Amino acid sequence: MSDFEKLGRVRRDLEEIRNNLSQRILEQAPGKADLVILHDRVCRAIKALSAQG
């Protein structure tokens, strides 16, 4: 597996994590602030791995 394939795989994993976080933010009130911060950081990581990064 090339480095580009590995980065693509990590990006897909992060997108899945972001989607899960989004659902948890909508469902849960307690601890929501922490989830929002984590969601923001995952979004930044995805942006850093994207071609437009």
Side-chain angles (χ1 to χ4, degrees):
M1 182 181 290
S2 74
D3 290 338
F4 289 111
E5 291 169 333
K6 289 177 186 176
L7 289 174
R9 187 178 194 185
V10 169
R11 187 170 188 265
R12 285 189 301 274
D13 290 344
L14 285 171
E15 288 172 349
E16 184 178 333
I17 291 168
R18 179 182 61 186
N19 291 337
N20 290 338
L21 284 170
S22 295
Q23 289 299 318
R24 290 175 59 196
I25 289 169
L26 293 174
E27 295 170 357
Q28 297 179 355
K32 193 174 193 174
D34 291 338
L35 292 176
V36 171
I37 291 168
L38 185 56
H39 182 272
D40 182 57
R41 290 180 180 175
V42 170
C43 289
R44 288 181 190 189
I46 291 170
K47 185 177 179 182
L49 291 173
S50 69
Q52 296 89 12

